Amino acid sequence: MRALVVGGAGYIGSHVVFYLLKDNCEVLVLDNLSFGSESSIPKGADFVLGDIRNKEVLTRCMQNFKPEVVVHLAALKSVGKSIHEIAVYSDINITGTINLLNAMIAQNIPYFVFSSSAAVYGTPVYLPIDEKHPTKPINYYGETKLIIEQMLQWYSRAYPFYYSALRYFNASGHEPASSFFAIEKNPENLIPILLETALGTRKDFTLFGDDYDTPDGSCIRDYIHVSDLARAHLLSLHFLKEKKQSLTLNLGTGKGFSTREAYESAVRVTKKDIPLTIGGRREGDPASMYALSDRARNLLAWQPKYNNIDDIILHSWKAYQRNFET
Ligand SMILES: NC(=O)c1ccc[n+]([C@@H]2O[C@H](COP(=O)([O-])OP(=O)(O)OC[C@H]3O[C@@H](n4cnc5c(N)ncnc54)[C@H](O)[C@@H]3O)[C@@H](O)[C@H]2O)c1
């Protein structure tokens, strides 16, 4: 299988590339390196520096490499910034994706895997969240993902085109069987922030809200190991090719951890002092969010391998230490 991985130099993308290579795929990464880095791309994949807003680059890549599948992870993902930077989020997350889809259709490329997000759901009205849960994004980032999901349905009706829209919950951890780094730049996610504080590159860690209606008062989220996510991409590609049927799937563990549990785990695993500040609640943060991923388990025979917060943090800690030492 020849796979074009767009955004393959980023955190999740580099893991997807690793698993595609392990499955003997030929991989070309297209990335503008705005957040990713070339050194994160696992050895064995080719790389083109380019932007999804550039239609000529997309067409050239597809004509030269002739991929059978496109995995699309390139996007801006800051929930907070998305609320104010509507134009730039529209340009990259929506227009960039339309460019990619239209280039695929023009080149007759039939299989597409899209990085969607649990942000399409908005505030949970019930838990665990299954794929039938109402989709009402509460930030523009989630809206951009939902708009693309809706577009994909129309593309698959009109063309010989099959997609899987993978709604990731909180991606976390690092591949333990590899030494590539794939460290997030300017992270806004909990575990990278905890680890940067443990390394001393941040002063302290702020826990936003300790008065939620949860057992320890802090928010609960579903931390899915990035290697489990990456394996699901591969399985969904095999499904698309074999069944010729599009998919929309949650990818989570179904088990949530609280921010305080993650903090305590980070202290335990890193054996470092991580200064803690208790801050106020952030707007739009629901108390709990975790997934029902039975659809992925049933259709793809996918099973998350990691659901222990200490393992997830340890795998990332090793990657952060290696990165810090180089
Ligand atoms: N990290 C999470 O917890 C999470 C959760 C849900 C969904 N997602 C989605 O997964 C995807 C990957 O996320 P990630 O955490 O690996 O982020 P990331 O920022 O590490 O990776 C995104 C990659 O896309 C590249 N990119 C950005 N804009 C581009 C453009 N215009 N043209 C070409 N390349 C561009 C970046 O350089 C980067 O390498 C994103 O679409 C994100 O919305 C992530």
Side-chain angles (χ1 to χ4, degrees):
M1 188 156 58
R2 297 166 76 82
L4 173 63
V5 182
V6 183
Y11 167 52
I12 301 171
S14 55
H15 284 83
V16 171
V17 171
F18 179 79
Y19 275 86
L20 286 169
L21 291 170
K22 246 175 89 142
D23 199 49
N24 294 321
C25 293
E26 283 180 60
V27 179
L28 174 66
V29 169
L30 174 77
D31 200 297
N32 70 357
L33 302 183
S34 55
F35 285 91
S37 59
E38 198 174 341
S39 60
S40 294
I41 302 171
K43 283 194 179 51
D46 288 325
F47 172 62
V48 168
L49 178 67
D51 196 298
I52 51 173
R53 289 168 291 181
N54 182 334
K55 293 182 191 174
E56 285 80 46
V57 163
L58 296 176
T59 303
R60 206 175 339 114
C61 272
M62 291 180 194
Q63 282 176 343
N64 293 342
F65 183 63
K66 300 191 180 8
E68 196 180 0
V69 307
V70 174
V71 184
H72 177 35
L73 305 108
L76 297 182
K77 60 170 187 178
S78 165
V79 164
K81 285 189 186 142
S82 77
I83 293 167
H84 306 288
E85 299 177 14
I86 303 297
V88 66
Y89 273 71
S90 299
D91 195 27
I92 295 178
N93 291 14
I94 301 175
T95 311
T97 304
I98 294 173
N99 290 342
L100 192 57
L101 291 173
N102 289 348
M104 285 180 69
I105 298 305
Q107 301 301 321
N108 298 311
I109 300 168
Y111 305 113
F112 185 68
V113 180
F114 175 60
S115 297
S116 188
S117 167
V120 298
Y121 294 117
T123 306
V125 292
Y126 61 80
L127 289 168
I129 296 176
D130 58 17
E131 291 85 355
K132 293 197 178 104
H133 186 285
T135 46
K136 286 193 178 167
I138 54 167
N139 50 65
Y140 192 60
Y141 166 71
E143 186 70 34
T144 65
K145 296 289 181 185
L146 187 60
I147 287 170
I148 297 299
E149 280 196 11
Q150 287 163 349
M151 236 173 232
L152 290 175
Q153 294 181 24
W154 291 101
Y155 274 75
S156 71
R157 277 197 207 178
Y159 305 111
F161 174 84
Y162 307 93
Y163 68 88
S164 66
L166 304 178
R167 294 175 175 167
Y168 315 154
F169 279 63
N170 295 61
S172 55
H174 278 79
E175 168 60 37
S178 169
S179 60
F180 65 91
F181 301 136
I183 298 292
E184 287 177 86
K185 288 184 194 162
N186 306 316
E188 295 189 5
N189 294 339
L190 173 67
I191 293 171
I193 291 174
L194 282 169
L195 296 183
E196 287 191 357
T197 317
L199 282 170
T201 56
R202 279 178 196 253
K203 212 161 54 38
D204 67 352
F205 167 71
T206 304
L207 185 152
F208 294 108
D210 66 348
D211 56 354
Y212 284 95
D213 185 17
T214 58
D216 67 19
S218 65
C219 288
I220 291 176
R221 295 290 178 271
D222 189 334
Y223 295 97
I224 172 81
H225 196 290
V226 66
S227 301
D228 286 327
L229 277 185
R231 279 191 306 108
H233 287 69
L234 195 61
L235 292 171
S236 84
L237 272 172
H238 287 302
F239 181 94
L240 294 183
K241 286 186 68 178
E242 278 159 30
K243 307 274 183 201
K244 307 251 181 297
Q245 187 189 318
S246 294
L247 291 168
T248 298
L249 297 175
N250 281 346
L251 293 177
T253 63
K255 185 176 172 210
F257 292 102
S258 74
T259 309
R260 195 174 275 281
E261 284 174 310
Y263 169 79
E264 284 164 4
S265 166
V267 171
R268 205 164 42 239
V269 167
T270 64
K271 301 184 178 58
K272 300 277 185 192
D273 176 36
I274 303 180
L276 173 69
T277 304
I278 305 293
R281 291 182 180 199
R282 282 185 305 193
E283 202 188 332
D285 253 356
S288 296
M289 223 172 149
Y290 46 91
L292 187 73
S293 300
D294 285 4
R295 214 169 132 70
R297 288 172 205 261
N298 295 336
L299 291 176
L300 305 182
W302 172 77
Q303 181 74 32
K305 214 162 122 188
Y306 304 102
N307 59 9
N308 177 312
I309 192 72
D310 281 9
D311 288 343
I312 289 173
I313 292 185
L314 179 64
H315 294 168
S316 283
W317 180 233
K318 287 186 177 163
Y320 272 74
Q321 283 177 308
R322 278 195 298 264
N323 192 51
F324 195 65
E325 283 158 11
T326 54

